[in-house]
Amino acid sequence: MSATTSVALKSCPLYIDGKPVISAGPKDVQYNPATGEAVAEVPQSTPEEVAAAVASAHKAFPAWSKTPVIQRCKVLFKYRELLEAHVDELVALITEENGKTIDEARGSFDRGLECVEFACGAPTLMMGETVDRVGTSVDGWSTRNGLGVCVGITPFNFPFMVPMWMFPMAIACGNTFVLKPSDKVPRTAVRMVELAYQAGLPAGVLNLVHGAKSTVDLLLTDPRVKAVSFVGSSSIAKYIYQTSANNGKRVQALGGAKNHSVVMPDADMKLTVAAIMGSGFGCAGERCLATSVVVAVGEVADPLVKELVRAADNLTVGAGCELKTQMGPVITHEAKKRVLSYIELGEKEGAVLARDGRKDAVSKSAGYFIGPTILDKVNPASRVATEEIFGPLLSVVRVKDMKEALAVIDRSEYGNAASVFTRSGGAAREFTQNVGAGMVGINVGVPAPVAFFSFSGWKNSFFGDLHALGKDAVHFYTEQRVVTCRWPE
Ligand code: NAD
């Protein structure tokens, strides 16, 4: 998509040592996905700028880690207040950068805020363990301590929420942080960092750099960086995992997904269709928990496909900033081309095009829109059924029973989420106990754990040991010191 560079583009500063910095690096252009217009210039940080950000975090660590945890959390309490006071501005920014509808942006804001609230519990979450008299006159106890400089590398699909999975808990635990947001949606992160400093964060505790591979590589190889949190596609997640580990860092790398919704013949049709529409087409199918494959069991297939097509026909697709919009655009022109190529592929692979979103008028506008598209009678071994598409394209696979449905899911290289729709407790139990995915929904289309649980993808959806959020996050961002102490009685 060509840019109209005559329009004044918004700038996108780095944040180093508590101050905004205009990068001296080369600039890329950011486009508004709903209009295709150029909106901002996104810098690729220079190696010197990346080194300065890490140095600033490294310098800030000793004082911050020794600041009482209650004081650290007071800053987070204030941060929460400020975020809430700026909700409309942040929601509008998320919508402009990412294309989400206002409701979706607000939902993702709320889930991000929840992570700050969870991090405010650090005084309790960081508690160690004590055993009196592990020996005569000897006591033992453990404490949890910050690691040092932690790094976060985040994807485009949740500009606000995913960074919130990382830095609030990291800094609550006494670490300092360098955030490298997606180069496709960097401006929400700038505002998040600005507000954190307004809340009273000492200089250097949270730094921000922009860029892509070369910036990330500098962070992964810097010996001052102790831990790396990554969320993005699986191939990059694997690379991050291997490179971070080779450089002696602890790492959690969350990857891509191909999520299934199994619909049993006894499912409540109205609830199921609403949930699958929300999961498959919400956020234009660009959620890591989006349903991409509907597995229809037995005789439910025909009525289910009919109802899904009817609901998709009634979905209002358009710019996220318009209140009536129910589904926005995908992120880039390239993403649109990729999704369109999968629709063609699905037809070539023998699927039946139950609804062709390419024919919707909005698909021909300047923004990166694709109308909701449904492929029926998809072969479970085909590429559309197995590869991550990340767009508003739903595949329906027809199977005869639960056993066959579980086998379809088992075959997937991914294991992020899977849902079952049924009225039967027995079927739900069979599903939850046997399904090959780490986040499971029962009559829930997007089984995103609340912040007190961990975001627990399996297989190629996660590389590492300790997941994001929940107690795993506290353990990931701390190391234990175990004290054995003798005092004569
Ligand atoms: P991406 O992998 O292209 O980019 C993620 C981050 O990595 C960005 O900050 C990007 O600048 C950086 N990056 C890109 N190429 C790199 C390279 N070669 N080396 C080092 N860093 C690089 O992902 P995306 O397109 O921004 O986001 C969508 C993907 O994220 C989907 O696959 C989705 O499933 C996944 N995702 C997963 C979860 C989860 O919880 N598992 C959550 C959200 C998104």
Side-chain angles (χ1 to χ4, degrees):
M1 190 54 53
S2 67
T4 48
T5 38
S6 57
V7 178
L9 297 181
K10 293 171 191 168
S11 70
C12 184
L14 322 176
Y15 250 84
I16 300 173
D17 220 21
K19 291 186 225 55
V21 172
I22 297 300
S23 173
K27 312 275 188 301
D28 294 323
V29 175
Q30 183 194 34
Y31 298 96
N32 179 335
T35 61
E37 287 163 359
V39 281
E41 276 188 336
V42 184
Q44 296 164 33
S45 312
T46 65
E48 295 73 26
E49 288 161 353
V50 177
V54 176
S56 163
H58 190 244
K59 191 173 97 212
F61 176 69
W64 182 245
S65 61
K66 288 190 172 55
T67 301
V69 61
I70 290 173
Q71 298 301 329
R72 298 199 297 256
C73 289
K74 277 198 174 147
V75 178
L76 287 173
F77 275 112
K78 179 73 190 162
Y79 186 41
R80 190 207 170 281
E81 242 175 61
L82 279 173
L83 290 166
E84 191 126 82
H86 291 82
V87 58
D88 292 340
E89 178 202 340
L90 285 160
V91 163
L93 191 49
I94 296 167
T95 292
E96 182 184 285
E97 284 204 301
N98 170 275
K100 285 187 202 306
T101 67
I102 300 276
D103 276 356
E104 289 165 352
R106 174 70 213 219
S108 72
F109 172 89
D110 290 341
R111 296 309 297 267
L113 204 66
E114 183 184 290
C115 301
V116 182
E117 289 160 359
F118 179 54
C120 287
T124 326
L125 294 165
M126 284 183 75
M127 278 179 179
E129 294 172 318
T130 309
V131 178
D132 272 355
R133 295 184 190 281
V134 291
T136 308
S137 306
V138 180
D139 302 325
W141 70 88
S142 66
T143 58
R144 290 203 164 268
N145 309 272
L147 307 165
V149 180
C150 299
V151 158
I153 302 152
T154 53
F156 78 81
N157 64 333
F158 283 98
F160 181 85
M161 183 185 78
V162 174
M164 288 303 199
W165 290 358
M166 302 175 180
F167 73 79
M169 185 54 83
I171 63 178
C173 289
N175 301 283
T176 54
F177 207 87
V178 181
L179 175 64
K180 204 300 288 171
S182 165
D183 40 321
K184 299 187 184 96
V185 294
R187 288 181 300 125
T188 304
V190 174
R191 201 66 189 110
M192 288 163 75
V193 173
E194 272 168 4
L195 290 172
Y197 279 113
Q198 221 171 299
L201 210 60
V205 172
L206 177 60
N207 299 272
L208 178 70
V209 293
H210 297 299
K213 181 173 168 49
S214 55
T215 308
V216 170
D217 283 344
L218 290 166
L219 294 168
L220 302 186
T221 50
D222 191 308
R224 293 166 295 186
V225 170
K226 298 296 173 214
V228 176
S229 300
F230 172 88
V231 178
S233 54
S234 287
S235 57
I236 314 280
K238 194 170 182 184
Y239 167 76
I240 301 282
Y241 177 68
Q242 290 171 338
T243 312
S244 304
N246 279 340
N247 284 279
K249 302 173 197 326
R250 65 172 68 177
V251 51
Q252 50 179 195
L254 286 70
K258 186 79 178 174
N259 306 306
H260 299 76
S261 277
V262 173
V263 183
M264 299 301 287
D266 68 347
D268 177 323
M269 186 60 83
K270 203 168 156 211
L271 179 154
T272 303
V273 169
I276 291 178
M277 288 297 295
S279 180
F281 300 121
C283 297
E286 292 174 327
R287 280 196 193 107
C288 65
L289 296 183
T291 286
S292 182
V293 182
V294 175
V295 185
V297 177
E299 71 270 20
V300 81
D302 281 340
L304 177 65
V305 170
K306 197 166 148 220
E307 287 305 315
L308 286 172
V309 169
R310 194 205 307 260
D313 283 342
N314 289 325
L315 203 69
T316 308
V317 183
C321 58
E322 288 167 24
L323 282 176
K324 66 178 192 306
T325 297
Q326 293 169 303
M327 185 178 98
V330 295
I331 187 71
T332 55
H333 180 59
E334 292 71 32
K336 176 170 175 172
K337 266 173 55 185
R338 187 189 66 241
V339 178
L340 293 177
S341 75
Y342 271 106
I343 300 174
E344 276 173 32
L345 177 67
E347 283 186 293
K348 279 195 203 124
E349 288 181 324
V352 175
L353 199 48
R355 187 179 196 284
D356 188 352
R358 295 172 299 188
K359 294 191 178 140
D360 297 348
V362 73
S363 301
K364 296 172 184 91
S365 67
Y368 313 136
F369 297 100
I370 310 154
T373 299
I374 301 173
L375 290 168
D376 190 13
K377 300 186 178 163
V378 173
N379 178 341
S382 64
R383 284 183 55 202
V384 278
T386 53
E387 295 178 9
E388 182 173 42
I389 298 171
F390 224 54
L393 170 56
L394 209 51
S395 295
V396 180
V397 168
R398 296 176 175 227
V399 299
K400 67 173 187 310
D401 55 21
M402 168 73 84
K403 194 164 166 246
E404 220 182 290
L406 288 167
V408 168
I409 300 174
D410 231 24
R411 189 184 290 146
S412 176
E413 65 172 287
Y414 300 102
N416 225 29
S419 295
V420 65
F421 293 87
T422 181
R423 286 187 167 97
S424 154
R429 189 161 189 268
E430 183 184 352
F431 185 80
T432 48
Q433 297 203 345
N434 295 293
V435 69
M439 288 172 275
V440 179
I442 301 169
N443 298 319
V444 169
V446 184
V450 289
F452 346 109
F453 288 101
S454 294
F455 210 86
S456 52
W458 287 5
K459 300 197 259 181
N460 280 350
S461 297
F462 180 70
F463 300 88
D465 172 17
L466 295 167
H467 292 81
L469 302 176
K471 288 191 194 121
D472 269 20
V474 182
H475 291 187
F476 182 78
Y477 291 123
T478 55
E479 58 193 348
Q480 291 193 78
R481 179 177 284 124
V482 182
V483 180
T484 305
C485 168
R486 171 180 290 126
W487 291 111
E489 301 266 345

